[in-house]
Amino acid sequence: MNAPFALPHALRDLARRSVPRYTSYPTAPHFTSAVTAEVHAEWLRRVARAGSPVSLYLHIPFCRTICNYCGCTTKASLRDEPIRAYAAVLHHEIALLAAHLGRAEVSRIHWGGGTPNILPPDCFEAIVRDLGDRFAFRPDMEHAVELDPRHVTPEGARALASLGVNRASLGVQTLDPAVQAAIGRVQPLPTVRAAFESLRSAGIEAINADLMYGLPFQDDDSVAATAELMLSLAPSRFAIFGYAHVPWMKTHQRLVDEAALPGPEERLSQAAVARRILEGGGYVEIGMDHFAHPDDPLSVAQAGGRLRRNFQGYTDDDAETLVGIGASSISRMPWGYAQNAADVPGWRRAIEEGRFAIARGKAFDGQDAMRADAIEAVLCRFEVDLAAVAARHSAPVSVFDEDVRRLRHFVNAGWVDVDGSRVSIRVHRHEIARLVASEFDAYLGHGGKHSVAV
Ligand SMILES: C[S@@+](CC[C@H](N)C(=O)[O-])C[C@H]1O[C@@H](n2cnc3c(N)ncnc32)[C@H](O)[C@@H]1O
Ligand code: SF4
């Protein structure tokens, strides 16, 4: 049995508040149609003129079946035809990008979804070769793919490795059979172990595992058992996500039995249990919800103060430009965000007409870039020097006066220190980081409904 988790009353109330995960700032609900395909094209040309390296994110919005809990942008397809048709459009989008970016240096490729390993192998290979022909891959480029362990095979793993894939993320979530049944994702330990073995035999040693807490019927013991079993597989990294229950946005989540969902205190306790076991297993805690081997690049980046946050969560990627490819993908440029149409037909139509499929975005204006800096610092380092942030954006530190005043309930509780212009979270870091970050969010309360803070 795990020791019960003592939760201060005030924290219990805070845990019920809903705030964004801040994988971008401003957050996606504040994107508008003011960012158009033309704006995106101009931003890309500016990146090309500056000769800056870029990271690429490719979105594959297909899965064989949809898991009840899924919050990702994806669709079920049992047939390969729609997936092949999608891959064909990706080639057109890549050509369009290359026409604007020139032969840009690529520092990272990340395939997300959905399930990128649903792509037929010849389609995956053709896209990697197309990218390699049009752009300049950096010799030390990280090439990462999100994979569903149920579809990893020894041949598939070898094919990925032969194309330069050197990091894989496996969606594990839970190894508890009762929870797996409740979330519509039956994937026993031998399936997960076989996926690890296939990847390692193919030479892909850097393997991340996604785990979740807050799922129906999960309790501390269930989370502990999964974490212990996963330690025996020794992944390079873990991401531990609290289940975001947003059935008003993801209607298939109505299949999740709400009566079986753990409450805020249980969620906090489960997160703490996972943290204790992974730290006990020698992993370094990264930000709020990642864990990495001490020699993993993410640990090295954190130790060197170079940890960043982007749409994939925590990253050591230092490229200022992330270019999204595929329906719903988001690009981040030094001047703002641009998001492709989320619906595949709309995205395809635009690309086939020879224009970018940008549906919305947000150009940084006013204090956006400065506040994004402050929020990233809070979430990556649990502290922020507001004077330094303000100075980087040529603003007086007094712009943050009102935000610091709003933090006083955390300060009075002894959880946050304000020392001159330096704000640091002292205790309950994981539990309150998003809440503290949200005090620097100038848009909060102006639209958007989010999942709970923990
Ligand atoms: C694109 S999936 C990973 C690859 C593959 N599709 C899979 O499921 O194995 C990304 C990850 O997001 C997380 N995730 C999905 N839905 C979520 C939700 N509603 N709340 C929190 N995390 C979620 C899961 O941990 C999942 O592994
Ligand atoms: S969790 Fe992964 S496999 Fe399941 S529906 Fe979502 S993207 Fe697809």
Side-chain angles (χ1 to χ4, degrees), residues 69-72 113-115 146-149 171 173 185 210 212 241-244 253:
Y69 61 90
C70 184
C72 307
T115 300
E146 294 175 15
L147 302 172
D148 181 335
Q173 334 308 358
R185 172 82 182 233
D210 296 340
M212 290 175 72
F241 298 121
Y243 169 47
Q253 289 187 348

Side-chain angles (χ1 to χ4, degrees), residues 30 47 51 130 139 168 190 203 207 209 220 288 296 299 305 308 414 416:
H30 303 287
V47 170
D130 195 8
I207 306 177
D220 286 3
M288 291 180 294
D296 184 273
S299 303
R308 304 291 311 267
V416 168

Side-chain angles (χ1 to χ4, degrees), residues 158-357:
R158 280 195 294 276
L160 293 176
S162 73
L163 291 167
V165 169
N166 49 25
R167 183 172 288 277
S169 280
L170 295 173
V172 177
Q173 334 308 358
T174 172
L175 292 171
D176 183 331
V179 181
Q180 288 192 353
I183 59 175
R185 172 82 182 233
V186 175
Q187 176 180 279
L189 176 62
T191 306
V192 176
R193 187 185 290 124
F196 270 79
E197 283 165 3
S198 295
L199 291 165
R200 285 187 173 136
S201 306
I204 301 176
E205 299 286 346
I207 306 177
N208 309 350
D210 296 340
L211 300 183
M212 290 175 72
Y213 64 87
L215 291 169
F217 301 109
Q218 252 180 334
D219 60 16
D220 286 3
D221 289 342
S222 163
V223 170
T226 293
E228 298 279 8
L229 284 171
M230 288 306 296
L231 283 181
S232 70
L233 297 178
S236 328
R237 290 179 196 166
F238 286 98
I240 314 285
F241 298 121
Y243 169 47
H245 187 59
V246 288
W248 57 90
M249 278 165 62
K250 302 285 173 185
T251 48
H252 58 263
Q253 289 187 348
R254 293 187 192 139
L255 294 170
V256 172
D257 178 2
E258 290 193 347
L261 286 177
E265 285 162 84
E266 291 159 287
R267 287 171 64 96
L268 284 170
S269 180
Q270 291 171 17
V273 163
R275 190 178 309 130
R276 196 166 59 219
I277 291 174
L278 299 186
E279 284 188 321
Y283 286 81
V284 176
E285 182 163 35
I286 307 291
M288 291 180 294
D289 51 15
H290 283 45
F291 295 81
H293 248 285
D295 55 1
D296 184 273
L298 215 49
S299 303
V300 177
Q302 176 166 267
R306 290 182 294 100
L307 189 66
R308 304 291 311 267
R309 193 158 170 83
N310 70 9
F311 299 109
Q312 281 93 54
Y314 289 104
T315 177
D316 57 328
D317 186 6
D318 55 6
E320 284 302 315
T321 301
L322 172 68
V323 179
I325 305 173
S328 83
S329 66
I330 304 178
S331 299
R332 187 203 149 117
M333 312 269 173
W335 310 280
Y337 300 102
Q339 181 171 25
N340 273 345
D343 67 303
V344 172
W347 164 79
R348 171 182 304 153
R349 210 173 314 117
I351 300 293
E352 285 178 349
E353 285 169 8
R355 54 192 170 83
F356 287 114

